[in-house]
Amino acid sequence: MPQAQVTMEVRKVNDGVSVIDVKGELTAFAEGVLMDAYNQASDGGVRAIVLNFEGLEYMNSSGIGLLVTLLIRVNREKQRLLTYGLSDHYQNIFQITRLDDAIGIYGSEEEAVRAADTT
Amino acid sequence: MTAANRRPEQPRDADHWARYVETLRVTGLREGAGARNVEGRRPMSPLQGFGKMWQKTFKVRLEGAKASPAEVVRTWREGFPELSGMGKGFLVPSGGLVPGAVALLGGGLTGVMVLYADEESFTYMTPEGHPFSGWITFSSHVAEDGTTVAQAQLLIRANDPLWEAMMPLGLHKMEDMTWQRTLRRVAAHFGADGRVETKVVCVDPKRQWRHYKNVRHNVLIRSALHALTAPLRWLGRRPGG
């Protein structure tokens, strides 16, 4: 089984918001890395998780599936899931898969964090 | 667009995804293929459905087969109607199951759109009215011991309250049997024995009551209404009618 070609670093930007910097490929093999990053990002009762996709290089349909299962976990914890740094191509994929109905898409980290802080 | 003429700034998955469409268009099928339950319907993700969310994974190890994952997926995609057991009830458009293509099921009762396709996987997305909202991904990989594995994975919710009520009454079982049968046929095609492993996980036990109105697209209801109103349409078509 191939290894995950992805790294995810977690940064806490304030008491309520954590950012996960996604770099590399989002496929089925990224599941463990993504869930570990989420657990780390959730430490301390944060209200919102922001996914930074500026470093996203490749995503297949299993990667989109992972985002749906992450979203369900986030909702269960009464948190919000937001993103920024999506290229036009990946924004198009969020549109066709209708993930944009449920995950907020922002142009920059500042906008995403502001949106997370104001709700 | 092919890999050869893809713009250099595009990611390498660009050719694998369907282009964005607000609603589905059925093209490339023989005239008379009934598409009224699919044409103009929106594609649905697991987030827009009504019922509990399920992740169902069906796997078969192709013991003894020499086929690579790419070969398994190519065979599966090209022979999908026969390998799934749906036969002529699964209508493939003339261009094949390429990203963005819409195929009809049940002779047009409903359909699927090819959301994604690469060498080692392809994914269907369902439209409004279909029993499920979500994605079905068919893939193949090599296990740690070198055996090629074929897999079908569903991430789905029942689309509306009627379909959700039917889940424990046989819809779950019917869906499971469809993909278990498919994997046995894939295994048999490659000369393997075909013992299918099944894993079912309830990802979200909550029903999404805000989506109860999805029932207005339910293909069973719409098809029944269409049949009941056939005499009125016939009268309307008569000269002077």
Side-chain angles (χ1 to χ4, degrees), chain B:
Chain B
M1 192 181 290
T2 62
N5 63 7
R6 191 194 309 145
R7 292 194 309 276
E9 71 272 20
Q10 283 190 302
R12 60 189 156 75
D13 58 42
D15 298 336
H16 302 154
W17 288 94
R19 299 285 173 262
Y20 173 72
V21 287
E22 180 69 22
T23 57
L24 298 181
R25 285 207 58 226
V26 181
T27 57
L29 288 169
R30 62 176 165 72
E31 221 171 290
R36 66 178 175 279
N37 286 333
V38 181
E39 181 78 36
R41 299 280 172 266
R42 295 190 73 186
M44 299 286 275
S45 88
L47 300 173
Q48 285 82 35
F50 171 81
K52 297 176 181 179
M53 190 190 292
W54 300 91
Q55 185 176 60
K56 298 184 172 201
T57 309
F58 306 94
K59 266 185 204 178
V60 65
R61 288 167 56 83
L62 305 179
E63 304 278 2
K66 297 276 184 250
S68 67
E71 202 176 334
V72 170
V73 167
R74 187 176 57 248
T75 302
W76 203 345
R77 188 145 66 117
E78 288 172 0
F80 191 86
E82 293 71 33
L83 289 169
S84 64
M86 296 179 199
K88 289 178 180 166
F90 189 97
L91 301 175
V92 177
S94 54
L97 295 172
V98 296
V102 177
L104 299 181
L105 307 177
L109 183 65
T110 184
V112 289
M113 180 188 77
V114 181
L115 173 67
Y116 180 91
D118 66 19
E119 279 195 344
E120 297 186 353
S121 69
F122 61 105
T123 299
Y124 293 151
M125 186 170 185
T126 59
E128 291 170 323
H130 189 283
F132 306 111
S133 62
W135 306 313
I136 307 173
T137 297
F138 308 96
S139 63
S140 180
H141 63 270
V142 177
E144 280 172 8
D145 66 355
T147 305
T148 300
V149 176
Q151 174 177 297
Q153 187 171 63
L154 290 67
L155 190 61
I156 54 169
R157 292 181 190 272
N159 230 330
D160 63 50
L162 185 62
W163 290 122
E164 178 70 353
M166 291 170 71
M167 291 292 270
L169 302 175
L171 195 55
H172 259 306
K173 196 172 177 188
M174 202 167 80
E175 190 69 7
D176 294 353
M177 285 167 62
T178 298
W179 304 120
Q180 287 161 348
R181 178 187 62 211
T182 301
L183 283 168
R184 279 196 298 272
R185 286 181 178 222
V186 170
H189 179 90
F190 289 101
D193 84 340
R195 198 175 58 80
V196 179
E197 285 174 43
T198 300
K199 186 179 171 191
V200 177
V201 177
C202 184
V203 177
D204 184 7
K206 287 186 182 165
R207 295 188 174 93
Q208 303 201 110
W209 286 95
R210 66 185 183 280
H211 293 314
Y212 76 93
K213 284 184 183 168
N214 289 351
V215 75
R216 69 192 185 281
H217 298 295
N218 185 297
V219 294
L220 285 186
I221 295 174
R222 292 183 73 91
S223 294
L225 288 175
H226 187 79
L228 285 171
T229 54
L232 298 176
R233 286 194 302 280
W234 179 77
L235 285 173
R237 279 197 302 268
R238 289 176 64 202

